[in-house]
Amino acid sequence: MKKVILMFVSLTVVVTLAACGKDDNNDEKNLEQPVENKEKDEQPKDDEKTETVTYEKKEDGVVVNVDLTHDGEELIRQVTTTTAKYDEIEAEDKEEAKEMFEEIGALDQFEDEKGLNYDVDFKEDHFVETLDVEYTKLSQERLNELARPADDNEEGQFTKVSYDLTVKDLEEAGFKKK
């Protein structure tokens, strides 16, 4: 059981993300607004810039780093890197560890999927699992599958992923800002 849990640490972080921003583009009110006003409102603020922040959690010989790239409140990209020695997943060496990953289909679970990149690098005594999620490149359907709705958005239709709610979830899960 420990090996299955460990192999899906990266995926679990993504699935527990908080998201917000219901798509209101179909509201009658929005349809009545002139196009130039709508474009003007969507311009990024000068004081907002893209920033990357790293959170880390170490537990039972497993180290998980989560790099969050955001533009203000919008989470743009999340790179989750899990590093663990083979004995933590009850594997004797990298060949056995690779077999375990193959058995559960982890190595090809995001193959050819736009906005999702998954890789495992098998070293001599440990592995490094990386899940890179570029939220702005995900399809609306995939975004809805990976992100959970914020309390005020029970419909689950997202236009963005909330940086603040994601940080809150990470901190509640025991991650610390580096």
Side-chain angles (χ1 to χ4, degrees):
M1 175 141 175
K2 184 176 181 179
K3 54 188 164 187
V4 174
I5 292 171
L6 178 60
M7 288 183 216
F8 287 104
V9 168
S10 295
L11 185 58
T12 302
V13 172
V14 172
V15 173
T16 61
L17 289 177
C20 70
K22 187 170 87 173
D23 188 356
D24 290 329
N25 292 335
N26 294 328
D27 286 356
E28 288 178 32
K29 185 177 182 181
N30 285 339
L31 292 173
E32 294 171 4
Q33 290 181 333
V35 174
E36 63 258 14
N37 287 345
K38 188 173 184 181
E39 288 175 359
K40 188 175 182 180
D41 291 342
E42 292 177 1
Q43 300 263 335
K45 297 175 185 173
D46 291 336
D47 61 340
E48 291 184 346
K49 61 181 180 175
T50 301
E51 178 185 14
T52 301
V53 179
T54 301
Y55 282 80
E56 181 177 72
K57 182 175 182 178
K58 296 179 183 179
E59 190 174 309
D60 298 327
V62 178
V63 179
V64 181
N65 283 296
V66 181
D67 297 323
L68 304 173
T69 302
H70 66 100
D71 185 354
E73 164 59 11
E74 182 176 3
L75 185 59
I76 298 168
R77 184 176 187 186
Q78 176 176 328
V79 180
T80 304
T81 306
T82 304
T83 305
K85 293 192 177 208
Y86 296 128
D87 60 350
E88 294 298 327
I89 61 168
E90 300 172 7
E92 291 185 26
D93 54 25
K94 68 180 178 180
E95 286 77 25
E96 187 176 344
K98 190 172 182 177
E99 283 179 25
M100 293 167 78
F101 276 78
E102 287 172 351
E103 282 178 21
I104 61 170
L107 299 178
D108 58 357
Q109 65 183 336
F110 300 120
E111 197 171 307
D112 299 323
E113 192 163 348
K114 188 176 178 181
L116 287 168
N117 296 302
Y118 179 81
D119 185 52
V120 182
D121 187 9
F122 296 96
K123 306 285 187 179
E124 284 305 310
D125 65 341
H126 69 281
F127 66 90
V128 180
E129 176 189 42
T130 305
L131 178 59
D132 184 349
V133 182
E134 295 181 69
Y135 292 104
T136 56
K137 293 183 179 181
L138 289 178
S139 68
Q140 183 69 44
E141 180 180 311
R142 191 61 160 144
L143 182 60
N144 288 333
E145 288 174 12
L146 292 176
R148 71 164 172 81
D151 294 338
D152 62 346
N153 183 10
E154 294 176 9
E155 292 178 26
Q157 297 298 314
F158 310 111
T159 57
K160 69 176 185 174
V161 176
S162 169
Y163 168 72
D164 291 337
L165 291 175
T166 300
V167 166
K168 179 182 174 191
D169 281 354
L170 287 171
E171 289 174 346
E172 286 176 359
F175 284 81
K176 303 288 183 207
K177 188 174 181 180
K178 277 180 93 175

